[in-house]
């Protein structure tokens, strides 16, 4: 039997040479805290962020502009205010299919990575 202790990190991808755009979006607009990558991985490009006790890794690769279902889902507080903030900054959000005791929406970063924000509530 496999026991999964916790989510350690999620990786999304950006095109080669777009780290500053990613830094502006993830560090600037979303307010995530960038952390140093291990020295051995710096030549690969990309960025790492810490979110609570997990990490978001932004990898660099050749992209074909196809939007995918791959995504990280982050639990947040004040979901409606966050959605309003993103939309005021030109981010297009979309409703997701309802699931019990969870409000949620998703959006795409500037590189076509889908991101979901959710807020849990009592039934």
């Amino acid at each position: 039997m496999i026991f999964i202790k916790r989510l350690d990190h999620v990786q999304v991808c950006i095109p080669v040479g777009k780290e500053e755009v990613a830094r502006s979006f993830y560090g600037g607009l979303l307010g995530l805290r960038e952390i140093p990558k291990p020295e051995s991985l710096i030549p690969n490009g990309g960025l790492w962020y810490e979110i609570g006790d997990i990490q978001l890794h932004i990898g660099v690769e050749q992209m074909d502009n196809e939007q995918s279902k791959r995504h990280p889902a982050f639990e947040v507080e004040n979901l409606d205010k966050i959605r309003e903030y993103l939309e005021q900054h030109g981010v297009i959000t979309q409703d997701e299919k309802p699931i019990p005791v969870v409000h949620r929406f998703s959006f795409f970063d500037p590189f076509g990575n889908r991101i979901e924000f959710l807020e849990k509530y009592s039934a």
Side-chain angles (χ1 to χ4, degrees), residues 87-103:
E87 289 174 348
Q88 287 173 350
H89 286 85
V91 176
I92 298 170
T93 64
Q94 62 187 31
D95 291 323
E96 293 295 328
K97 288 184 183 178
I99 57 177
V101 302
V102 176
H103 291 295

Side-chain angles (χ1 to χ4, degrees), residues 40-53:
S40 63
L41 298 180
I42 291 173
N44 296 345
L47 311 162
W48 284 16
Y49 291 92
E50 188 170 65
I51 306 165
D53 65 348

Side-chain angles (χ1 to χ4, degrees), residues 29-110:
L29 183 63
L30 298 185
L32 303 183
R33 186 173 76 83
E34 187 173 346
I35 58 173
K37 289 179 63 171
E39 201 160 314
S40 63
L41 298 180
I42 291 173
N44 296 345
L47 311 162
W48 284 16
Y49 291 92
E50 188 170 65
I51 306 165
D53 65 348
I54 67 167
Q55 294 178 1
L56 175 64
H57 297 178
I58 312 294
V60 174
E61 68 181 17
Q62 297 299 321
M63 307 278 294
D64 61 10
N65 292 331
E66 209 175 290
Q67 293 183 337
S68 170
K69 290 183 179 182
R70 293 182 304 261
H71 72 281
F74 299 108
E75 185 174 357
V76 299
E77 294 181 2
N78 300 313
L79 184 72
D80 293 335
K81 288 184 180 182
I82 291 171
R83 187 173 194 169
E84 182 180 319
Y85 169 77
L86 291 172
E87 289 174 348
Q88 287 173 350
H89 286 85
V91 176
I92 298 170
T93 64
Q94 62 187 31
D95 291 323
E96 293 295 328
K97 288 184 183 178
I99 57 177
V101 302
V102 176
H103 291 295
R104 64 196 188 120
F105 70 87
S106 66
F107 57 95
F108 289 92
D109 73 5

Side-chain angles (χ1 to χ4, degrees), residues 1-57:
M1 181 175 196
I2 297 173
F3 172 73
I4 298 173
K5 184 176 177 182
R6 68 179 186 88
L7 178 63
D8 179 76
H9 74 273
V10 172
Q11 179 163 331
V12 296
C13 294
I14 64 172
V16 174
K18 296 294 185 178
E19 283 91 347
E20 288 309 311
V21 177
R23 188 171 277 120
S24 175
F25 184 81
Y26 286 97
L29 183 63
L30 298 185
L32 303 183
R33 186 173 76 83
E34 187 173 346
I35 58 173
K37 289 179 63 171
E39 201 160 314
S40 63
L41 298 180
I42 291 173
N44 296 345
L47 311 162
W48 284 16
Y49 291 92
E50 188 170 65
I51 306 165
D53 65 348
I54 67 167
Q55 294 178 1
L56 175 64
H57 297 178

